[in-house]
Amino acid sequence: MHIRPLAAYGVAAALIAGIGAAGAALTTTTPAAAAGLPYQDPARPVADRVTDLLARMSLDEKVGQMTQAERASATAADVTTYRLGSLLSGGGSAPAQNNAAGWADMYDAFQRGAMATPLQIPMIYGIDAVHGDNNVYGSTIFPHNIGLGAARDPELAQQIGRATAEEVTGAGLDWTFAPCLCVARNDRWGRTYESFGEKPEIASAMTTIVTGFQGSTLGGPASVLATAKHYLGDGGTTNGTDQGNTQISESELRAIHLPPFQAAVDRGVGSVMISYSSWNGVKSHGNKYLITDLLKGELGFTGLVVSDWAGIDQLDGRSGFTQAEVVQAINAGLDMIMVPNDWKTFIGYLRAAVQAGQIPMSRIDDANRRILTKKFELGLFEHPYADRSYAATVGSAAHRTLARQAVRESQVLLKNNDVLPLAKTGGKIFVAGKSADDIGNQSGGWTLSWQGASGNTVPGTTILQGIRNAVGGGTTVTYQRDGNGIDGSYRAAIAVVGETPYAEGQGDRPGSMSLDSTDLATINRLRAAGVPVIVVLVSGRPLDIAAEVPNWSALLAAWLPGTEGAGVADVLFGDYAPTGKLPVTWMQSAGQQPINDGDGKAALYPYGFGLTYADGPGPDPTPSPSITPTPTTPPPSGSAGCQVAWTTNDWGTGFSANVTVTNTGTTTLNPWSLQWTFTAGQSVIQGWSARITQSGAAVTATGESWNASLPPGASATFGFNATRGSANPAPSSFTLNGTPCTVR
Ligand code: GLC
């Protein structure tokens, strides 16, 4: 960390005579005069330093602090002349030399521009480090948030935040526009993958990542300002779009979308970014109740509120922005405006609005107090320049190991006809699919560029490379993207398919959410060979696959794992038994969207669902063609009894069943085993919280390792999805370990 006294920068004493956008001359004093003033004394309380500095600032200097310009539209001299308080890189906006040193050099050049101003207020530089420091080439790319939501591991999230903060610091930067605490309620939304899931409790739990980014307090080693975004309700728009309208009651808004922001505020998040979306028809960028009364007042947020990219342009529904929109946004409580390009106009409007009394100086001072407080707390006044001591952490082995663990924990096993885990040795494995050997696809959007891209875009390990590295010498792994060349001599085929990268509105899916024709053709080519087909789905959201799943031997939701694809292979070959649980409800069909836990719609896989290998069969190079019969347990010596509650949700040609079995006997059953017979051709597709097998019409449900024992009086609840014909009569009788049950 370079801590050099300001005077040491030899900042030439110079009269700064700049011409503001409106032609008004800016104030002029000598930079050297800034040295040794109270606000320059780190021993003083931050609040006092802010008060002293504010008193010295002209209106132009205060207006400049509230302006955030995109790097490509400003120069270091502009930072000096217009007193710009912040710069940002939009997605993919990088210096010509896109590595840690190149970014740090760029940052320092802009910072020298800030240090050349009379009061030497350092600028702060924002970037979307949303799954690693993803704009910087060679950085570690972690799984996108939906995968971390599946992992349900807050400690891991904090470690990821810390690792990301080190890489952001190593590239010289000090502010990340992350985490997205959006609660995705409609999977058509192109930003579903930026969400931790459909329920607020996951995002709230994952705000540990804020502590990872910032440290327990701002200003420690590699401390980076975090951003809770997008406030408020962006994941709940009725039509699942980024600029859409969230039409819900305030109590629903508070129950579903607010808790993660409260959690982030409680963790001391330094900034909040406002959402493009509207709530009940009011644009959040102009909603004073949400920003000032609720966020700053009720939640007690004392950090800075920043707009989204050109977010104020949308207030009047017309392109570009007006002085009136500037007034509405600032008076609503926004403190800094992200004005990527037309920031000179913004400065002119803001200054004019204050001078005309449209915006009270108290609002300007409040905004500046918030901005300056974070800059003091970050230590930018004491160490304004890049800390290059963290450059070596960018893409480091330690960070990639952490990312691989995150990939393992994010995998959700949705179906397994006893083909996983695969044996590492013996026989041949065929790998196909457009995302098997494509690190761009497995990383998704916000990777090196805003939208991300298919192909060999960044260094890392593809899923195919992970598979090759996992198998033993005696195994042949054949890869052919489209599945051509497969035959019955392979013991298994792995199809890695799904979505190609996208971001924001370009990912909105108002229509089909199915696999594309390329993927379907690849899978069918593999199926035609008559070998077990394992589908690995690389996607940012659930896809419409219900019609195809019955033809697959196994299904693993990999989400968007990032650069460490070996983590997927770790699960496929059993080096890590899957622990991931769905963070979102998996629809039966796209027409059900939005579909969320508790809304009564029948899912293909419910929220929280996920299989594991716990006590499953070990690696089996030649999967048994027959279903292993469940051993029948003789009736216990004491009195035996059983009660069953059976409910179903029927749809189209399928249904979802929820079953509760109670041991009313006097002997513990371990394992318990419930059996029944379907009478109308029903066929189980997939179960949860029990291992369900079917032979003809006879069905057996047995407890998983974690709920195998059923003591007297205890109940076990499990469920399953199944296909059906026109009727769906409940079974007429059940037996529990051979004892007849009564049916509630
Ligand atoms: C984008 C996104 C926001 C991002 C910002 C800066 O439009 O909505 O999440 O932080 O602009 O890139």
Side-chain angles (χ1 to χ4, degrees), residues 68 70 88-92 126-130 135 176-178 180 191 194 227 229-230 234 242-243 273-276 306-310 314 338 340 446 450 504:
Q68 183 180 58
E70 217 283 336
L88 84 139
S89 277
I127 191 169
D128 292 279
V130 296
N135 270 322
T176 178
F177 302 132
C180 184
R191 308 192 78 164
E194 294 186 64
T227 309
K229 74 181 187 181
H230 310 81
D234 55 340
D242 214 24
Q243 325 274 325
M273 184 183 289
I274 301 304
S275 170
Y276 287 128
V306 65
S307 79
D308 201 338
W309 178 282
Q314 302 176 14
M338 190 184 296
W446 296 103
W450 176 41
E504 301 192 49

Side-chain angles (χ1 to χ4, degrees), residues 33 70 145 150 202 213 290-291 305 357 408 430 441 509 520 544 560 586 592 596 650 669 671 727 738:
E70 217 283 336
N145 287 354
I202 302 183
F213 285 137
L290 287 184
I291 301 172
V305 178
R408 288 191 191 115
F430 198 101
N441 284 358
R509 292 287 178 271
L520 293 172
D544 194 341
L560 297 173
W586 202 290
Q592 291 179 301
N596 295 291
D650 297 0
L669 306 177

Side-chain angles (χ1 to χ4, degrees), residues 222-300:
S223 177
V224 168
L225 192 71
T227 309
K229 74 181 187 181
H230 310 81
Y231 184 84
L232 182 61
D234 55 340
T237 58
T238 310
N239 60 357
T241 63
D242 214 24
Q243 325 274 325
N245 182 42
T246 298
Q247 190 70 39
I248 55 178
S249 67
E250 178 163 355
S251 60
E252 285 174 295
L253 185 76
R254 284 173 171 266
I256 296 171
H257 298 284
L258 191 62
F261 288 89
Q262 178 69 72
V265 168
D266 293 347
R267 280 186 175 273
V269 70
S271 68
V272 169
M273 184 183 289
I274 301 304
S275 170
Y276 287 128
S277 60
S278 304
W279 173 46
N280 295 346
V282 178
K283 276 281 183 186
S284 294
H285 273 81
N287 193 321
K288 182 171 184 180
Y289 171 70
L290 287 184
I291 301 172
T292 298
D293 301 344
L294 183 53
L295 176 64
K296 293 182 172 181
E298 188 178 321
L299 268 59

Side-chain angles (χ1 to χ4, degrees), residues 47 80 100 123 152 240 266 340 429-430 439 466 552 645 701:
T80 306
M123 64 93 199
R152 304 275 207 295
D266 293 347
I429 295 173
F430 198 101
I439 205 156
W552 304 344

Side-chain angles (χ1 to χ4, degrees), residues 62-67 330 335-337 346 364 367-368 371:
K62 294 176 181 178
V63 164
Q65 284 300 307
M66 298 168 68
T67 307
I330 301 297
D335 302 310
M336 183 183 285
I337 306 299
F346 169 76
I364 299 297
N368 272 265
I371 295 166

Side-chain angles (χ1 to χ4, degrees), residues 425-447:
T425 55
K428 303 189 301 180
I429 295 173
F430 198 101
V431 181
K434 69 168 181 275
S435 296
D437 198 30
D438 190 312
I439 205 156
N441 284 358
Q442 72 188 52
S443 296
W446 296 103
T447 305

